[in-house]
Amino acid sequence: MNRTCLLLLTGFPALFALASSAAESSAAPARLILRADQARQQISRNIYGHFAEHLGRCIYEGIWVGEDSPIPNTRGIRNDVVAALKAIRVPVLRWPGGCFADEYHWKDGIGPRHQRPAMINTHWGGVVENNHFGTHEFMDLCEQLGADPYVCGNVGSGSVQEMMEWVEYMTSDADSPMANLRRKNGRDKPWRLPYFGVGNESWGCGGNMRPEYYADQYRRYNTFVKNYAGNRIYRIACGANAFDFRWTEVLMADVGRRMNGLSLHFYTVPTGNWGRKGSATRFDEPQWHSTMREALKMEDLVRRHGEIMDKADPQKRIGMIVDEWGVWHDVEPGTNPGFLYQQNTLRDALVAGLTLNIFNNHCDRVKMANIAQTINVLQAMVLTDREKMLVTPTYHVFEMYVPHHDAMLVPAELQGPEYELDGQKIPQVSVSASRDKNGRIHVSLCNLSPATPVRLSCDLEGGKVGAMKGRVLTAPEINAHNTFERPEAVKPAPFEDFTPTQKGFETTLPAKSIVVLEL
Ligand code: AHR
């Protein structure tokens, strides 16, 4: 770690320039400039969105236990899980998939539960899906959470009529067939449905389409996604798989303003190799470093897809919707490979922290993101074991970052050391900052080095630092995680290693930590 890098982070357009400069010792402090007088872009709270698919134990067991369960529940939905998710203020929840969305037929999931037909969940473990959790249960969950629903429609194996009727069922207040069917099933008033996705991964599990073909399919299906009863739908088209920039080019050219949002999917695979992803809990420093390296690719992705979008949409009316992201490890030994159940360590928390910083810094284009997935699947917030529940290190990052929800991005310029391993270099520190409606500034800082603390001195432009407080998430081991035996092994603690200065503040970030400071 003998060089410095310059990170320039602004909101419009968000830049993340990285330039090496003359060699300096690792003792050199990082220098941060916060431009509070240039806070002009709002960080949508939807960047802190979530994703819950009919996959493994996410919906069944994780959320839905049924009304007769001994596990305390409200209309079949676990109370402990709802309470935990309310505490991180889940703003929006995407459902029912994922790959599952393109084989889901919504009419199977309405009406008396014992009469609902079962199906096989072919993507995820080939298990029987009894359809007990359907539209009414999902909307109830959203209401209990206070979250906006984001429903993903079936383009891959569903008809235009089916999609049209689903939207009518959910949102029409007319004396119409689908609205009346909803009333018959116990819900008089339509629900508010702000977000609707027209297919999922249509380049893959959603139909293996080419972008030109999908663009036409989108135009056709979307025509019949109607705005009923004053409900205005923000329409989200299926976007690219990671570095498939051509997909974005075609969609921007052939769909354009017919969509409000264009999605992007990117998973961090710690080894960069889908064939051997590696264990969630047993890893060494090279794997830690490669995980951070892979996760930082999100910066490049958001910037490059954003540049393509800028050409067709310089006013940034079309949102980038990163509706699947997170770390994808090997499943926990002994669990169903189709259930994607993985543990969650401090390493995952760092990935969450740096990724959310990237989204914040690009909030002029990134209007929503949905981490995959909420419970018991991939980079989960919550793990359950029958009646037991724990929250993960990633959950704590979402909780610590709540002050960024709907706050104004404070552009940040950071000059700091690099974290180098085996000749590979990444920035050691990741940052984003925002000003809330009460004028408080929150700075979220991640130190990606597993062993080296970093001193940081900050100049605050356009503001004065009075009182400060802080919280930190760290642990002695890089693979620290919460278990049902030790559910609080990793949790935030108060942080006081800072000093207000004439110009701003100074602090020392512990190794492998996420620190959130309030100024
Ligand atoms: O999140 C798991 C799966 O990853 C989703 O179902 C799919 O959209 C993606 O490939």
Side-chain angles (χ1 to χ4, degrees):
M1 232 182 334
N2 56 358
R3 306 184 72 177
T4 58
C5 67
L6 176 72
L7 307 177
L8 182 64
L9 305 154
T10 67
F12 45 104
L15 294 170
F16 191 93
L18 190 129
S20 295
S21 70
E24 285 183 19
S25 83
S26 57
R31 291 220 46 222
L32 175 65
I33 301 172
L34 296 178
R35 305 194 197 283
D37 46 357
Q38 291 178 30
R40 299 195 185 100
Q41 296 284 337
Q42 189 171 37
I43 298 171
S44 171
R45 64 181 184 280
N46 287 339
I47 283 176
Y48 295 82
H50 295 259
F51 168 39
E53 180 169 11
H54 288 240
L55 194 177
R57 297 186 299 113
C58 182
I59 297 292
Y60 299 105
E61 294 184 40
I63 293 169
W64 178 259
V65 287
E67 287 157 340
D68 300 331
S69 170
I71 297 173
N73 67 84
T74 301
R75 296 179 294 280
I77 295 168
R78 285 181 82 128
N79 293 343
D80 52 356
V81 168
V82 167
L85 296 178
K86 277 177 86 163
I88 56 171
R89 310 225 194 126
V90 171
V92 59
L93 185 61
R94 179 173 184 251
W95 172 85
C99 295
F100 182 78
D102 280 289
E103 62 180 35
Y104 181 61
H105 299 285
W106 69 271
K107 282 187 183 163
D108 293 347
I110 56 170
R113 283 191 202 103
H114 64 277
Q115 286 174 15
R116 296 183 192 176
M119 66 180 282
I120 302 294
N121 190 334
T122 64
H123 282 292
W124 305 120
V127 293
V128 174
E129 158 68 58
N130 64 16
N131 276 307
H132 282 195
F133 190 90
T135 304
H136 291 250
E137 291 78 13
F138 171 66
M139 291 297 193
D140 189 11
L141 170 65
C142 288
E143 285 174 354
Q144 290 189 36
L145 292 176
D148 278 340
Y150 167 15
V151 170
C152 186
N154 180 347
V155 171
S157 71
S159 67
V160 172
Q161 180 182 359
E162 186 180 0
M163 187 179 285
M164 179 174 175
E165 288 183 342
W166 197 9
V167 174
E168 181 192 334
Y169 185 89
M170 290 185 277
T171 62
S172 170
D173 205 14
D175 182 11
S176 73
M178 290 302 116
N180 287 335
L181 181 58
R182 183 192 67 235
R183 292 185 186 104
K184 191 174 140 222
N185 288 328
R187 172 80 186 197
D188 180 28
K189 284 286 154 211
W191 292 284
R192 221 183 111 253
L193 178 66
Y195 303 104
F196 192 82
V198 181
N200 168 75
E201 296 196 352
S202 304
W203 37 261
C205 64
N208 282 303
M209 301 175 203
R210 288 164 298 186
E212 292 81 1
Y213 181 77
Y214 171 72
D216 283 345
Q217 289 296 309
Y218 175 90
R219 291 166 68 122
R220 177 166 169 249
Y221 276 74
N222 177 56
T223 304
F224 302 93
V225 173
K226 308 277 184 186
N227 287 327
Y228 295 100
N231 183 70
R232 281 203 74 77
I233 292 181
Y234 183 99
R235 293 131 200 279
I236 298 170
C238 162
N241 179 20
F243 289 90
D244 182 357
F245 299 112
R246 191 169 167 271
W247 186 280
T248 301
E249 273 163 19
V250 173
L251 268 282
M252 291 304 289
D254 292 0
V255 174
R257 293 286 307 282
R258 288 179 179 83
M259 61 188 170
N260 304 109
L262 178 60
S263 73
L264 170 66
H265 285 187
F266 175 66
Y267 284 97
T268 297
V269 176
T271 55
N273 174 357
W274 280 93
R276 292 177 51 205
K277 298 184 276 296
S279 161
T281 52
R282 291 182 308 283
F283 55 87
D284 52 17
E285 189 179 352
Q287 283 172 292
W288 167 285
H289 194 276
S290 70
T291 305
M292 301 303 149
R293 249 178 8 243
E294 289 298 313
L296 285 165
K297 288 181 179 170
M298 185 65 91
E299 171 65 35
D300 201 29
L301 280 170
V302 169
R303 184 180 50 75
R304 291 172 69 187
H305 283 286
E307 281 166 6
I308 295 167
M309 295 175 81
D310 284 349
K311 276 192 224 140
D313 174 35
Q315 289 171 309
K316 300 184 195 291
R317 291 195 175 121
I318 300 172
M320 186 185 293
I321 310 293
V322 192
D323 56 16
E324 288 188 30
W325 69 274
V327 191
W328 195 316
H329 301 290
D330 289 340
V331 297
E332 282 302 296
T335 65
N336 186 331
F339 281 13
L340 309 186
Y341 177 74
Q342 63 191 39
Q343 250 296 354
N344 192 300
T345 68
L346 183 62
R347 174 175 63 159
D348 300 282
L350 262 302
V351 170
L354 75 87
T355 306
L356 292 167
N357 282 343
I358 292 169
F359 294 154
N360 286 347
N361 289 321
H362 288 276
C363 66
D364 58 336
R365 183 62 87 176
V366 179
K367 297 299 174 192
M368 188 196 292
N370 308 75
I371 190 168
Q373 299 195 6
T374 318
I375 300 156
N376 293 332
V377 170
L378 298 176
Q379 192 175 350
M381 307 301 108
V382 167
L383 302 179
T384 64
D385 177 12
R386 284 156 295 195
E387 78 289 353
K388 287 183 261 178
M389 185 207 88
L390 62 81
V391 299
T392 63
T394 296
Y395 171 96
H396 290 304
V397 175
F398 273 76
E399 187 272 319
M400 290 167 73
Y401 278 42
V402 162
H404 288 312
H405 291 205
D406 287 340
M408 300 303 288
L409 179 72
V410 171
E413 192 182 315
L414 176 69
Q415 190 170 14
E418 289 181 325
Y419 164 32
E420 178 176 352
L421 192 73
D422 299 334
Q424 308 247 36
K425 292 172 187 160
I426 56 173
Q428 187 180 344
V429 180
S430 148
V431 63
S432 71
S434 67
R435 192 181 62 214
D436 69 16
K437 59 180 187 311
N438 299 314
R440 287 177 301 225
I441 292 176
H442 293 91
V443 192
S444 43
L445 294 146
C446 305
N447 180 356
L448 308 190
S449 167
T452 314
V454 58
R455 289 189 296 127
L456 180 139
S457 104
C458 170
D459 287 2
L460 176 66
E461 293 184 355
K464 239 190 135 26
V465 178
M468 282 180 74
K469 52 185 183 178
R471 291 169 81 207
V472 61
L473 186 73
T474 188
E477 308 295 336
I478 56 175
N479 67 344
H481 56 280
N482 295 334
T483 63
F484 293 102
E485 293 70 43
R486 289 189 63 216
E488 298 199 346
V490 186
K491 64 174 184 182
F495 178 77
E496 288 169 357
D497 196 357
F498 51 73
T499 321
T501 61
Q502 279 274 299
K503 290 180 166 176
F505 65 87
E506 286 176 359
T507 184
T508 299
L509 305 175
K512 51 177 164 19
S513 71
I514 297 117
V515 169
V516 176
L517 297 172
E518 181 178 299
L519 317 182

